[in-house]
Amino acid sequence: FEPERRGTDLAGSLQTMGRVLKRRSILFLISDFREGGTAREGNAPAEKLKLALKLASIKHDVVPVVVTDPRERALPRFRAFMELDDPESGQRVLFDASDSGGLASFKRAEEARLAALGALFGLCGLEHIRVDTAGNFIDPIVRFFQKRAKRLRR
C-alpha cells in the first residue's frame, strides 16, 4: 500500500462515516489533531473539520479523543540542534535546543494549540477526552463517562 498523499483528513473520515453508518452510533475520533494546523481558527482545515464535526454530531455521538505526548509539550534543553520532522506535512525544522526562549515558545505554541482544539470542540457542542502517551489512558476515559453519566442523571 502506498498512500496517495501525506497527512490526515479527519473531516473526510467523518464525512465517510456519515454516509456509511445508517444508525446512530458513538464515534470515537482518536487523533493528535495535528492535520495541517487544525486548531487555528480561520484556516481551511479547521473550518472543514468544524463543519464535519457539526454535521456528524447531528446524527451521531462524536467523542474526540486527543492523544498528547509530553515530548511535544516540553522539549528537553541541551546543547545541540534538533531536526524536527512533521510526519503530516513532511516539513523539517532545525531547532536550537539550548535556546530557552525557543523552548518556551515551543511550549506556549503547543498549549495554545490544545486550547484552540478545546475551543473548536466546544463550538461544535462536543466534549472531548485527552489522553497522554506517558500516562494511563483508561482513567481519563472512565472520568469522561462518569461525568457524562452524572450530567445525564440530572
Side-chain angles (χ1 to χ4, degrees), residues 26-153:
I26 299 175
L27 303 180
F28 290 93
L29 188 59
I30 303 170
S31 175
D32 59 5
F33 292 88
R34 291 187 176 277
E35 64 159 349
T38 295
R40 290 192 314 274
E41 192 66 33
N43 71 21
E47 295 303 317
K48 185 177 171 189
L49 180 61
K50 181 167 61 171
L51 178 62
L53 285 168
K54 285 182 177 182
L55 290 174
S57 67
I58 292 170
K59 182 177 178 183
H60 303 289
D61 183 3
V62 180
V63 181
V65 180
V66 181
V67 180
T68 62
D69 188 309
R71 293 168 292 196
E72 292 173 339
R73 286 191 304 276
L75 293 174
R77 184 173 183 184
F78 54 92
R79 298 182 66 104
F81 284 89
M82 296 171 50
E83 185 174 37
L84 305 176
D85 184 24
D86 181 353
E88 293 289 329
S89 68
Q91 183 179 18
R92 288 187 166 164
V93 176
L94 193 60
F95 187 81
D96 182 359
S98 67
D99 177 18
S100 59
L103 292 170
S105 176
F106 187 88
K107 183 177 182 178
R108 280 192 308 274
E110 179 61 9
E111 289 168 352
R113 186 188 77 82
L114 292 172
L117 267 176
L120 175 68
F121 298 142
L123 285 171
C124 297
L126 304 174
E127 299 173 273
H128 69 284
I129 303 170
R130 187 166 148 191
V131 296
D132 197 304
T133 58
N136 179 344
F137 65 91
I138 299 294
D139 291 340
I141 295 170
V142 169
R143 278 193 304 274
F144 172 84
F145 282 106
Q146 287 172 338
K147 183 176 143 186
R148 180 179 267 195
K150 186 185 284 188
R151 190 190 74 225
L152 292 175
R153 278 182 277 190

